[in-house]
Amino acid sequence: MIDTWITDLTHFFDDAGDLVSEPAQAKALAEYFATIVFMASYPDHEYPPEYIVKCRRRPNRNPCLGEIVGIINPETDDIMWMCQKCNDKGIISNWRGSMWDLSDSEQLVH
Ligand SMILES: [Zn+2]
């Protein structure tokens, strides 16, 4: 059975609305999921290379570094993401309207 990360993005905010800063592990996870939201909500399929998210898993203590792909599920509005290399995957909810939601930040002209 493959574990799926079920993430409610609001769980990574503190009372002031900022990303949690401690414990360090929670902060690292929060930043990881934030970059996935950036990438998946980018309003174009061709996002810039700086938006690419690398897998943070370390199977057998070796960094996976596979590229994460993320899409917005049109039915649930959750972000579904997956590592193309190790198949680590997850679902992020309650990201819409967060500071990392880029989906309606600009209109791109094709
Ligand atoms: Zn991976």
Side-chain angles (χ1 to χ4, degrees):
M1 174 183 162
I2 300 175
D3 288 334
T4 299
W5 293 85
I6 309 288
T7 308
D8 181 336
L9 200 62
T10 58
H11 291 173
F12 289 101
F13 294 108
D14 61 19
D15 292 339
D18 296 321
L19 267 188
V20 292
S21 55
E22 56 188 21
Q25 196 177 11
K27 184 184 184 215
L29 267 181
E31 290 173 344
Y32 179 57
F33 292 127
T35 57
I36 292 175
V37 172
F38 260 142
M39 180 261 297
S41 66
Y42 192 78
D44 196 343
H45 291 297
E46 298 289 329
Y47 45 83
E50 60 265 31
Y51 282 78
I52 291 174
V53 181
K54 297 291 187 185
C55 180
R56 66 188 301 277
R57 273 192 74 208
R58 296 175 60 85
N60 302 319
R61 297 181 181 271
N62 292 314
C64 171
L65 298 181
E67 188 176 331
I68 302 290
V69 291
I71 60 159
I72 299 169
N73 184 323
E75 292 181 9
T76 63
D77 211 33
D78 293 336
I79 289 175
M80 302 163 63
W81 60 267
M82 192 179 92
C83 171
Q84 299 188 79
K85 196 170 166 188
C86 72
N87 291 332
D88 195 30
K89 61 183 176 169
I91 295 169
I92 301 174
S93 60
N94 283 332
W95 59 276
R96 187 75 79 176
S98 73
M99 68 179 101
W100 307 289
D101 177 5
L102 299 179
S103 59
D104 58 3
S105 61
E106 57 188 307
Q107 299 291 324
L108 295 185
V109 178
H110 291 273

